[in-house]
Amino acid sequence: MPSNDVRILAQAAVPTAAVGAIAAVVSGVVAGGKGAVGAIVATLIVILFMGIGLYVLQRTARSLPHLFQAMGLMLYAAQILLLFIFVAAFKHTTLFNPRAFALTLVAGTLTWIAAQTRAHMKSKILYVEPDSTPSSKGDGPEKPGRQP
């Protein structure tokens, strides 16, 4: 991954992990050990899903830039759907507290989205790759004395 992508990943994953740690402590106090386990599992799922999504989105932006916006919308819809499926699948589990799991999943997802949005807004990503040599078709920069 290029350094800019790693920076965005770190700027989104670190706040999500911090929210997950806080949720684990709060869930541990409120719901006991099963609450803390549910919060930790939810945090790991959010970081895994959203991290994979960011990776796929960055690869799409490089290889198929014309599909970037549609891919982003489809990816976020798929991620939200998968997270709902996880909540429904673990609704009646006895491995951990399902309420702590669900609340941490929502809080972690919202934190990731907010942190990723902030990271993208603060990064200086070139929208157009500068060409090192002007082409012979007249696409290059205008000469100083020439008027269009």
Side-chain angles (χ1 to χ4, degrees):
M1 278 182 127
S3 64
N4 195 34
D5 297 343
V6 173
R7 190 175 313 119
I8 290 172
L9 179 66
Q11 288 176 349
V14 170
T16 304
V19 166
I22 292 168
V25 170
V26 170
S27 297
V29 169
V30 173
K34 288 189 176 193
V37 170
I40 291 169
V41 169
T43 302
L44 293 175
I45 288 173
V46 168
I47 290 173
L48 180 70
F49 277 13
M50 295 299 186
I52 290 171
L54 180 63
Y55 175 74
V56 169
L57 201 57
Q58 294 300 335
R59 285 192 54 118
T60 301
R62 282 178 181 61
S63 62
L64 303 166
H66 59 285
L67 294 178
F68 180 69
Q69 185 177 14
M71 184 69 170
L73 290 172
M74 193 249 350
L75 185 67
Y76 280 126
Q79 286 173 333
I80 297 298
L81 180 64
L82 283 172
L83 292 176
F84 278 128
I85 289 170
F86 265 88
V87 169
F90 292 110
K91 187 180 199 180
H92 299 292
T93 188
T94 58
L95 298 172
F96 49 78
N97 186 314
R99 179 168 280 185
F101 174 76
L103 290 174
T104 305
L105 206 62
V106 169
T109 301
L110 292 175
T111 302
W112 181 283
I113 291 171
Q116 184 178 352
T117 302
R118 182 179 182 275
H120 274 291
M121 291 181 74
K122 290 187 70 134
S123 67
K124 295 183 175 31
I125 300 172
L126 294 174
Y127 291 100
V128 177
E129 297 275 336
D131 192 15
S132 60
T133 60
S135 66
S136 61
K137 295 179 184 175
D139 295 0
E142 295 291 329
K143 294 187 180 183
R146 202 169 144 194
Q147 294 292 327

